[in-house]
Amino acid sequence: QVQLVELGGGLVQAGESLRLSCAASGFIFSANTMGWYRQAPGKQRELVATITSGGSTNYADSLKGRFTISRDNAKNTVYLQMDSLKPEDTASYYCYLRLQREYWGQGTQVTVSS
């Protein structure tokens, strides 16, 4: 079965960096678009970034230049490098896959203190 397991969240200060990872299994990773979403308390879940099987990327406009999505098909892992973090980046971050239906990881908490 499909599994998405996020790692790498934590508590950081504003201006610092974090790298999230999502280990995937149960499907042909290299053939599929992967994504990251986030959800802050009291807010709707929102797109952070996606990366296609060919490596093309798409970002939320507000995050361009600070966040970078990448993938390692040999490791079945997608990454999210987050730089210059701001308190408003505080959220749970989720790995996302759409096959016949949507799949979500369990989420990893990122907290940015000012």
Side-chain angles (χ1 to χ4, degrees):
Q1 69 277 24
V2 172
Q3 285 193 314
L4 304 172
V5 179
E6 301 100 334
L7 291 173
L11 172 63
V12 297
Q13 293 189 335
E16 293 184 340
S17 298
L18 272 178
R19 188 174 83 154
L20 308 182
S21 63
C22 171
S25 61
F27 64 102
I28 303 174
F29 179 82
S30 60
N32 285 280
T33 295
M34 300 296 300
W36 286 98
Y37 281 71
R38 69 183 184 181
Q39 186 167 20
K43 295 188 176 181
Q44 289 188 328
R45 194 168 293 189
E46 63 177 359
L47 172 70
V48 174
T50 60
I51 184 167
T52 68
S53 58
S56 296
T57 57
N58 179 58
Y59 296 92
D61 287 343
S62 62
L63 301 177
K64 288 179 181 177
R66 292 195 301 121
F67 287 20
T68 304
I69 189 171
S70 62
R71 66 191 298 158
D72 185 337
N73 289 336
K75 296 182 178 179
N76 283 6
T77 300
V78 59
Y79 302 97
L80 184 68
Q81 176 68 38
M82 305 184 293
D83 298 320
S84 302
L85 282 162
K86 304 176 181 180
E88 51 263 44
D89 295 318
T90 295
S92 292
Y93 285 72
Y94 298 88
C95 189
Y96 172 82
L97 163 72
R98 184 177 180 88
L99 297 176
Q100 293 84 358
R101 68 170 184 89
E102 295 180 335
Y103 294 89
W104 298 92
Q106 82 285 355
T108 186
Q109 178 66 35
V110 173
T111 303
V112 185
S113 63
S114 57

